[in-house]
Amino acid sequence: MDYVLKDRVFPEIGAWADELARIRRDIHAHPELGFETPRTVALLKETLAGWGITELDDTIVKGGLIAVIEGGRPGPTVALRADIDALPMPDNSENAWKSTTEMRCHACGHDGHATWLLGALRYLNEKRAGFAGRVVGLFQPAEEIGRGALAVVEAGVLEKYGVKEIYGAHDEPTIEKGRFGLLGGPAQASTDFFYITVRGRGVHAARPHLGIDPIPAAGLLIGALQTIVSRKVMPIQPAVVSISSVNGGRFGTPNVIPEEVTLSGTVRTFNEDVRNQIEREMGRMVETVAASEGCTGELRYDRLVPALINPPESIEHVRAFITRQFGAEAAGPIDVSMGGEDFSEYVNRIPGAMIRVGIRDEAHKAALHHPTFDFNDEVIPAAATMLAGVALDRLAALGR
C-alpha cells in the first residue's frame, strides 16, 4: 500500500503500512457503539499482545483498553489517546470492508484513530530500551456520546499512572493528506443537548377552541430560542443554539390537534458563563412562552463535554516535532470548530493537545458523520510516527 510522507515516516512504521491498513478495515467492518465495544477491544488486545505488549487492562474502564509501555529507565509518563467507538448510522460506502452491522458505521474515523495508536505503540515498544519513562495508550470508548473521556478520568487512570501530558489526533477531511492541523487555545466548542416538551390538550382539529393547541406555542418558542444568541449573548462570544428535531401529531392524521410537541437540539459555545446563561434563558423561555399559550413546557438540558482549549505550549511541542520530521509545510493552522470533542476532559486537568490529521484526496472527500465517509489508510504511518515522536520528545523534555 502506498502512503503519504513515505520518505519521512519512521521506517519501521512504514514497513507495517499494509498490516495496519488490514487491521483498520477489520475494525471498520465491525463497528461497535458507546461503551459496548467487546470485539474491538479483543482485537486490540490480541494485536498488541502479539507484538509483545503485555501490560494491558480492559477492566478499569468499561469498553476501553489501557496499554502500558515501560521505558528502559524510570521517568515521567505521557499518554496517547484514541477513541474507538462508532456511530449509529448506515454505512453507504461501496468498500469491501463496509460495515457488516446495520445502522452502525465508523463514519468519524475512530477505526483509523485506534489503528494509528496501535502503530505508535508498536514502535515505542520496540524502542523502549532507549527512553526513560512510560507511555500509556488509552483506547477510549464512548466519545460519540460524550461520556468516554470522563469515564477514564473518573476511573482514576491519569492518577494511577501519573500521566503528566496527553496527546491525541483526529482525522480531518477538509485538510489534504500529508498535512496536520494545529490550533492553540479554543479549538472545539462545548457540547450540550436539550429536549423540550410543550403540552396542551388534544382535540378534533375542526374544534380547536375546545382544546389547547401546542403547535403554535412550539412555533413561538422556536422563534424565541433563536433570540438567545442574537440578543442575549454578548456578540463577541461564539455560540450556537440549533433546534434539530420537531415532532407533533401524525402526518397521516391531519384532523387531530396533538396533545404535545417535542423539540430537541444542541448548544455550542466556548465560554462556561455563556453556557450557563444559555441554559438559564432556555429554561425561562420554555416555561413562559408555553404558558402564554395556555400550555406547559418542560426542558431537559444535558451537558455532555466542555470546550476543548488546546494549551498553546502543547501545540508548539507538536509543531516542533512535525516541522523537524515532516517539514514546516506539514504543520498548518486549522479553523476553530463548533463540533465537540471529549478530549477536553483530559486537557482540563493536564497539559496536552488534540491534533488534526488531514485525510483529503480524490477518494476521501466525504464529511465526517456522512454515510459514505471512509478513513484514508494512506495517512496511518505518518500519524503513528507523529504520535510516537511527540511522546518521545515529551518524555525527554519532562525528564530533564
Side-chain angles (χ1 to χ4, degrees):
M1 185 193 76
D2 199 12
Y3 55 92
V4 297
L5 301 170
K6 198 163 190 175
D7 59 335
R8 305 288 184 90
V9 304
F10 293 151
E12 295 90 339
I13 295 179
W16 306 327
D18 289 341
E19 182 181 0
L20 292 171
R22 286 194 296 272
I23 294 168
R24 199 283 300 181
R25 294 173 184 182
D26 187 325
I27 297 172
H28 186 94
H30 302 92
E32 296 178 304
L33 306 179
F35 290 99
E36 302 302 323
T37 55
R39 186 190 186 281
T40 305
V41 169
L43 174 62
L44 296 172
K45 280 184 67 177
E46 180 182 2
T47 301
L48 290 166
W51 294 336
I53 301 171
T54 57
E55 190 172 344
L56 304 169
D57 189 339
D58 62 351
T59 64
I60 191 169
V61 178
K62 177 178 170 59
L65 177 66
I66 312 299
V68 180
I69 298 171
E70 298 284 354
R73 303 177 304 283
T77 301
V78 170
L80 301 174
R81 174 269 205 171
D83 37 14
I84 64 174
D85 58 320
L87 287 155
M89 60 182 290
D91 184 346
N92 292 340
S93 69
E94 297 180 354
N95 301 311
W97 53 87
K98 70 180 294 183
S99 174
T100 58
T101 307
E102 186 177 359
M103 288 303 295
R104 292 186 187 180
C105 177
H106 270 293
C108 201
H110 295 187
D111 48 344
H113 303 175
T115 307
W116 65 39
L117 180 53
L118 285 174
L121 294 176
R122 183 178 185 180
Y123 178 84
L124 290 166
N125 188 58
E126 293 198 355
K127 304 297 182 181
R128 65 187 183 278
F131 66 83
R134 175 169 54 194
V135 177
V136 174
L138 304 179
F139 293 92
Q140 179 209 299
E143 189 278 333
E144 295 293 0
I145 60 174
R147 297 296 186 229
L150 186 60
V152 173
V153 169
E154 291 181 340
V157 172
L158 302 182
E159 292 82 4
K160 176 178 179 179
Y161 295 104
V163 178
K164 299 299 183 185
E165 294 182 2
I166 184 167
Y167 295 87
H170 199 295
D171 62 304
E172 180 51 64
T174 66
I175 301 177
E176 293 297 319
K177 66 184 181 184
R179 297 181 181 273
F180 300 85
L182 305 178
L183 180 62
Q188 295 187 240
S190 59
T191 301
D192 300 331
F193 291 164
F194 61 84
Y195 306 87
I196 297 169
T197 302
V198 179
R199 290 192 177 88
R201 186 169 67 244
V203 71
H204 195 296
R207 300 173 178 178
H209 61 292
L210 299 179
I212 301 175
D213 192 344
I215 293 178
L220 290 171
L221 182 57
I222 290 170
L225 290 173
Q226 297 310 306
T227 69
I228 294 176
V229 173
S230 66
R231 289 296 179 267
K232 306 292 192 303
V233 173
M234 185 181 296
I236 63 171
Q237 292 288 349
V240 170
V241 175
S242 288
I243 297 166
S244 309
S245 170
V246 181
N247 295 279
R250 293 176 59 85
F251 185 76
T253 314
N255 61 339
V256 176
I257 289 173
E259 190 83 14
E260 66 180 36
V261 175
T262 58
L263 317 171
S264 65
T266 188
V267 173
R268 308 294 171 106
T269 185
F270 292 93
N271 184 293
E272 279 298 304
D273 290 337
V274 173
R275 196 181 187 191
N276 294 334
Q277 178 190 10
I278 291 174
E279 183 177 1
R280 287 195 306 271
E281 293 287 353
M282 289 188 70
R284 181 181 63 80
M285 287 182 174
V286 168
E287 181 178 349
T288 59
V289 172
S292 73
E293 293 296 304
C295 297
T296 61
E298 296 178 4
L299 169 67
R300 188 182 107 206
Y301 192 98
D302 291 350
R303 294 188 173 219
L304 296 184
V305 298
L308 171 62
I309 314 294
N310 277 325
E313 61 274 19
S314 297
I315 287 291
E316 291 312 308
H317 298 326
V318 176
R319 188 188 308 279
F321 175 79
I322 292 173
T323 299
R324 186 175 74 246
Q325 188 73 24
F326 300 119
E329 68 282 359
I334 188 171
D335 291 335
V336 173
S337 170
M338 299 307 283
E341 168 57 71
D342 74 356
F343 191 81
S344 58
E345 297 287 2
Y346 303 122
V347 296
N348 276 356
R349 293 166 173 84
I350 59 174
M354 171 57 64
I355 305 104
R356 290 281 172 166
V357 178
I359 66 167
R360 188 176 182 84
D361 60 18
E362 286 301 313
H364 298 88
K365 293 182 177 180
L368 298 173
H369 291 213
H370 191 276
T372 63
F373 176 88
D374 187 35
F375 183 83
N376 189 341
D377 294 320
E378 293 183 24
V379 309
I380 293 173
T385 295
M386 183 273 296
L387 287 174
V390 168
L392 291 173
D393 275 8
R394 298 310 302 149
L395 287 174
L398 292 167
R400 284 199 287 267

